[in-house]
Amino acid sequence: MHDQSYYVHLESLKDFVRELETQIQAMSKPNDFLLTLGDEPLLFGEFGEAGSLADANRAAVSEMQGLLDQVRSAIGFAQDVTNTVADGYANADQSVAGDLHSSGAVTGLLDPVLGLLGLGDSNGSKG
């Protein structure tokens, strides 16, 4: 029968979470720029179309800020999901390791290592 198990590299998940955090932080620069665009009135002149151009510009800036907020929220959601998945796998690994250790399945395998580290007693169990 073909082995259908898979491996999850937890450190890669944590690296991805850090990259997502970097992306969220990097979004502050365009957001700050958009805020400055919205703060200063544009001086298009005193002709009739100038007012509608300024209104259209403010609307575009506002829409871009909304889109930026949506992207930031989506990245935050991806970060939360990735953290949840990584934590779930880490907890599952700890649970399985604890179950194996308490059942004695790994005691025989760990005895030489524990002995080298000075953590085993004369019976080979962890002290």
Side-chain angles (χ1 to χ4, degrees):
M1 177 176 215
H2 178 64
D3 182 16
Q4 296 181 0
S5 63
Y6 56 93
Y7 300 95
V8 175
H9 190 255
L10 292 176
E11 194 56 39
S12 293
L13 287 174
K14 294 295 183 182
D15 289 345
F16 185 60
V17 168
R18 286 188 290 276
E19 175 59 28
L20 291 171
E21 181 62 34
T22 300
Q23 294 299 319
I24 288 172
Q25 291 173 359
M27 295 180 80
S28 65
K29 186 175 181 179
N31 189 50
D32 292 345
F33 177 70
L34 288 173
L35 290 173
T36 62
L37 286 178
D39 288 345
E40 299 176 16
L42 297 175
L43 304 174
F44 287 127
E46 295 298 325
F47 56 97
E49 197 177 1
S52 63
L53 286 174
D55 291 343
N57 184 65
R58 279 190 296 277
V61 167
S62 178
E63 185 175 345
M64 291 172 69
Q65 285 174 320
L67 291 172
L68 194 59
D69 287 340
Q70 288 177 9
V71 170
R72 185 181 301 121
S73 294
I75 292 173
F77 176 75
Q79 188 179 31
D80 290 344
V81 169
T82 305
N83 266 326
T84 300
V85 169
D87 290 346
Y89 278 114
N91 292 337
D93 283 352
Q94 289 174 354
S95 176
V96 168
D99 290 348
L100 287 173
H101 186 69
S102 67
S103 71
V106 286
T107 304
L109 297 173
L110 291 178
D111 286 345
V113 175
L114 293 174
L116 287 172
L117 297 174
L119 300 174
D121 63 18
S122 60
N123 296 328
S125 63
K126 187 176 178 181

